[in-house]
Amino acid sequence: MRVMNIHPALLPSFPGTHVWQTEVDFGVKFAGCTVHFVDEGTDTGPIIIQAVVPVYDDDTAEALNARILQQEHKIYAQAIQLYAEGRLEIQGRRVLAKGIPKIPDTFLINPRPVMFEP
């Protein structure tokens, strides 16, 4: 049996506490959350699943926290389900999710590109 933890940042960046304010102060354009297996370190265990959210120029730590929290509720349940179904395999530092289709080639840009009119 493994122990899972959820962290309100995209690990390995921003481990520890008070991360929302740190992310806003640092000026990152994307933040998010991570579910990982617990190991002997602080927020250093193998990553199971992550979700990404944009960080807006006018964000406060509280606004960013609220946006991330919505995703935490989704991915923690997904990580538990994958584990319960026996679909997670640890290979070194990587956690592989068996039988999960790849996400089509997509990307996010923040801030959004300005569309110039001809």
Side-chain angles (χ1 to χ4, degrees):
M1 174 113 173
R2 303 283 312 233
V3 176
M4 290 182 196
N5 184 44
I6 190 155
H7 181 73
L10 295 172
L11 294 174
S13 297
F14 304 106
T17 60
H18 307 294
V19 297
W20 311 289
Q21 188 63 56
T22 304
E23 290 168 326
V24 169
D25 292 346
F26 200 83
V28 298
K29 299 299 181 187
F30 292 98
C33 49
T34 304
V35 177
H36 63 95
F37 285 120
V38 173
D39 67 5
E40 64 282 344
T42 301
D43 299 324
T44 58
I47 294 169
I48 301 166
I49 189 170
Q50 294 181 306
V52 176
V53 300
V55 180
Y56 300 118
D57 292 343
D58 60 351
D59 265 342
T60 61
E62 293 77 19
L64 181 57
N65 174 21
R67 195 173 311 112
I68 291 171
L69 185 60
Q70 290 177 342
Q71 299 306 312
E72 286 182 16
H73 293 158
K74 294 175 187 177
I75 68 169
Y76 204 39
Q78 290 175 9
I80 292 168
Q81 180 177 355
L82 289 169
Y83 183 79
E85 292 173 351
R87 298 172 97 178
L88 299 179
E89 178 182 329
I90 300 175
Q91 291 184 0
R93 289 229 18 96
R94 298 180 68 201
V95 177
L96 308 178
K98 298 181 278 183
I100 304 299
K102 292 182 180 179
I103 298 172
D105 289 339
T106 60
F107 61 92
L108 302 172
I109 298 173
N110 186 28
R112 294 180 69 169
V114 177
M115 303 306 290
F116 295 99
E117 304 247 348

